[in-house]
Amino acid sequence: MMYFARWKALAIVGVCLLGVLLSVPNLLPRESLPSWARQISLGLDLRGGSYLLLEVDTSAMVRERLESLVDSVRRGTASANPRILYTGLNANPAERRVSLRVSDPARAGDVARILREAAISVNAGAGSQQPDIEVTTAPDGTVTATLTEVALRNKASSAVEQSLEIVRRRIDESGLVEALIARQGQNRILVQLPGVEDPARIKDLLGRTARMTFHLLDEAANLQSATPPPGTMFLAGERGQERFAVRRRVEVDGANLNDARAGQDSRNGEWVVNFTFDSVGTRRFAEVTRNNVGRPFAIVLDDKVITAPVIREPITGGRGQISGSFTAQSANDLAVLLRAGALPAPLTVVEERTVGPELGADAIRAGIASLAVGTAFVFLYMGLAYGFFGWLANVALLANVIIMIGILSVMGATLTLPGIAGIVLTLGTALDANVLINERIREEVKLGRTPISALEAGFSKASGTILDSNLTNLIAMGCLYAFGSGPVRGFAVTVAIGTVVQMFTATVVVRLMVASWYRRRRPQALPV
């Protein structure tokens, strides 16, 4: 029990030295570190920055889906032979349904078929052959299409996951680093931005849906009318002073964009956004511009017309340009939005907090002070209570903290106030194992055992109790991590790592030091 082969002793010393090597980069400036070195990042409450809690507006997704069904009914009934007449076509987002009354009840089945085919085609594009609506007909010719509960839940979950990825891409494209982005609850996204004191630009980047579509204008529509004609919508221009009659049909979708970059127009020096389509978008863009030379073509972003140039000639290269009153910053931001992709549903800010760097510095000082005071008291207690063996336990405690910091550095962990609290708590609990071992050795000495027998009994008999106590601690931390979020998870991870490391330092490192001391001194009595 007290014998260590040379390779085992070297392996234990090597683990401790590796912990020192991995923790040293935290003492050096980030710019001077080699590429392999990792540091612990400071969290929002220590470094200062912005905290945003965003909510995915799934109701907008429902409205868009219902409007799509309404548009499918209009096109399908108009193209039927003979044409299907109806009244009362409307979408009811509150009840998640579209309803209409067919003038000839015998043709209600044809309208139901149009709705089902439209639903199947939309879902096939999303990878599913099952329609997301239930269509019913009544004897009086009323046809109702209702979004199913299962489809709605699936769409909402998919929208949150997609929004999470797009938010991450937008923040990465904007140049920010060390941002924490995580899903919270059913339909919320948590964004923490350490070091960002003014979140206005980030809120603008994240809050815009950034769905870009290309539409033809309805040149016959009366812009002074209160309501647009069927199949057309009135949209404001980017400056809000103009009004455009835009056909609802999407000629080219921004989802087919391949790239978007800010640049300057060579003719007048104005800032523009240059974009390129993928193969599908290139083919569709060329087809639309070839068939509509001389007609205005609107670029719509989030229900606002950015520009509506007249098509002078077919554009077959798959490249285009968005011009407007852009600055360098706004052009770059729009390019970031287009590259990252459109959100499936709008995001609203439900909670916002900003932590100044001064408050973070105060928190760091308080955390370091608590860590220093806690370490001093623990060291003194162990040294006074157990003498020489207590000081060996203190050396193991120091190794425990160093190895724990090294592991957190390799993980790229973010240190928060709860994380500091976890380290302080680990300082206290890390010596529990040594207390158990030393008390067991005392009992064996009182029973008259020889020093080597007392040492072996102390370490072997305390091992089961140490393992049980640490396993219960790990189970508790596992529950905190599973059911908690944010800082609570950080606390759980810190304490769990400290618990695992202290089992190594208390039962292996201390035993190695005691065995080495005993081989050199061969004492007749133990200093306990």
Side-chain angles (χ1 to χ4, degrees):
M1 185 70 183
M2 299 304 296
Y3 171 75
F4 283 86
R6 182 177 295 274
W7 70 268
K8 286 186 179 179
L10 291 176
I12 295 169
V13 174
V15 170
C16 295
L17 292 178
L18 181 62
V20 173
L21 180 64
L22 295 176
S23 58
V24 162
N26 293 285
L27 304 176
L28 303 175
R30 188 180 295 272
E31 297 77 17
S32 62
L33 295 177
S35 58
W36 58 266
R38 303 288 295 274
Q39 284 183 322
I40 297 177
S41 302
L42 295 181
L44 192 67
D45 49 1
L46 297 180
R47 183 179 172 185
S50 298
Y51 168 103
L52 297 173
L53 185 61
L54 309 171
E55 186 172 60
V56 180
D57 184 8
T58 53
S59 61
M61 182 180 60
V62 172
R63 288 196 300 271
E64 183 179 346
R65 182 71 185 100
L66 295 181
E67 289 174 0
S68 173
L69 290 174
V70 168
D71 194 41
S72 297
V73 169
R74 285 175 175 153
R75 290 202 307 269
T77 54
S79 60
N81 189 17
R83 182 173 182 174
I84 303 174
L85 302 178
Y86 59 88
T87 58
L89 175 61
N90 69 87
N92 188 337
E95 298 180 0
R96 307 193 306 273
R97 69 182 186 184
V98 171
S99 60
L100 70 155
R101 185 173 181 179
V102 183
S103 301
D104 181 3
R107 305 204 65 186
D110 295 335
V111 176
R113 178 179 49 78
I114 291 171
L115 284 166
R116 291 191 186 99
E117 289 177 353
I120 290 175
S121 65
V122 168
N123 287 279
S128 172
Q129 295 296 324
Q130 296 296 323
D132 59 351
I133 59 174
E134 291 180 352
V135 183
T136 59
T137 58
D140 62 349
T142 300
V143 181
T144 304
T146 307
L147 287 174
T148 63
E149 193 67 32
V150 173
L152 190 61
R153 283 199 302 268
N154 291 340
K155 284 180 180 293
S157 178
S158 175
V160 175
E161 289 296 332
Q162 188 178 348
S163 299
L164 190 68
E165 183 59 33
I166 291 172
V167 165
R168 184 175 287 110
R169 288 207 301 264
R170 288 184 181 182
I171 290 179
D172 289 345
E173 290 276 0
S174 68
L176 293 176
V177 295
E178 299 178 0
L180 171 65
I181 306 164
R183 182 171 180 171
Q184 192 169 78
Q186 293 294 324
N187 60 344
R188 291 187 174 184
I189 297 174
L190 172 67
V191 180
Q192 291 186 2
L193 305 167
V196 178
E197 297 178 43
D198 182 12
R201 175 174 171 245
I202 302 300
K203 283 170 59 180
D204 183 58
L205 278 176
L206 302 182
R208 297 175 67 178
T209 306
R211 187 188 178 202
M212 189 170 76
T213 51
F214 297 79
H215 304 253
L216 292 171
L217 295 187
D218 186 354
E219 300 175 85
N222 181 11
L223 293 174
Q224 306 303 319
S225 174
T227 57
T232 302
M233 52 186 175
F234 288 150
L235 297 180
E238 188 182 23
R239 301 178 184 84
Q241 301 171 349
E242 298 176 282
R243 197 184 194 195
F244 296 87
V246 180
R247 294 191 179 276
R248 289 186 178 274
R249 177 182 173 83
V250 176
E251 301 295 342
V252 187
D253 199 316
N256 295 121
L257 284 178
N258 199 31
D259 192 17
R261 301 286 171 182
Q264 288 182 286
D265 194 322
S266 57
R267 294 168 296 183
N268 51 29
E270 291 184 352
W271 281 97
V272 296
V273 177
N274 300 303
F275 61 86
T276 58
F277 286 107
D278 58 17
S279 57
V280 175
T282 298
R283 185 170 60 253
R284 181 62 188 155
F285 197 65
E287 180 183 339
V288 172
T289 54
R290 185 182 300 110
N291 297 335
N292 295 278
V293 173
R295 298 185 60 185
F297 197 39
I299 303 176
V300 179
L301 179 70
D302 291 345
D303 295 330
K304 286 187 177 180
V305 177
I306 297 179
T307 182
V310 175
I311 301 173
R312 301 297 183 189
E313 58 185 8
I315 304 174
T316 58
R319 298 178 180 272
Q321 187 181 90
I322 304 173
S323 59
S325 301
F326 290 126
T327 61
Q329 184 68 67
S330 61
N332 185 67
D333 286 349
L334 178 56
V336 166
L337 291 172
L338 296 179
R339 285 199 304 273
L343 291 168
L347 292 176
T348 56
V349 179
V350 296
E351 186 179 350
E352 175 186 351
R353 293 202 302 267
T354 301
V355 179
E358 295 82 7
L359 183 60
D362 291 341
I364 292 175
R365 283 192 293 269
I368 293 176
S370 64
L371 189 60
V373 171
T375 303
F377 275 108
V378 168
F379 274 36
L380 286 174
Y381 173 78
M382 289 300 294
L384 295 175
Y386 297 103
F388 176 70
F389 283 3
W391 290 110
L392 290 183
N394 288 336
V395 174
L397 176 62
L398 184 61
N400 177 51
V401 174
I402 291 174
I403 294 173
M404 182 167 58
I405 291 175
I407 293 174
L408 291 173
S409 300
V410 171
M411 294 172 58
T414 299
L415 185 64
T416 60
L417 276 177
I420 293 179
I423 295 176
V424 175
L425 178 63
T426 303
L427 285 176
T429 59
L431 294 175
D432 288 349
N434 295 106
V435 171
L436 290 171
I437 292 170
N438 289 332
E439 289 297 333
R440 173 60 71 174
I441 293 174
R442 276 181 175 177
E443 291 178 5
E444 298 299 327
V445 170
K446 288 179 181 179
L447 292 175
R449 288 179 179 268
T450 61
I452 186 63
S453 298
L455 290 175
E456 293 213 6
F459 279 99
S460 61
K461 292 182 178 180
S463 297
T465 306
I466 293 170
L467 182 61
D468 290 342
S469 63
N470 284 299
L471 282 179
T472 55
N473 197 20
L474 287 175
I475 291 172
M477 293 305 106
C479 292
L480 275 181
Y481 186 85
F483 298 107
S485 62
V488 175
R489 283 190 165 188
F491 174 81
V493 169
T494 304
V495 175
I497 292 174
T499 300
V500 173
V501 173
Q502 68 103 351
M503 282 194 286
F504 167 75
T505 56
T507 60
V508 178
V509 176
V510 172
R511 189 156 55 90
L512 176 62
M513 290 190 292
V514 171
S516 300
W517 167 80
Y518 184 83
R519 282 200 308 271
R520 288 196 310 271
R521 296 296 180 90
R522 298 291 178 178
Q524 298 300 313
L526 296 178
V528 292

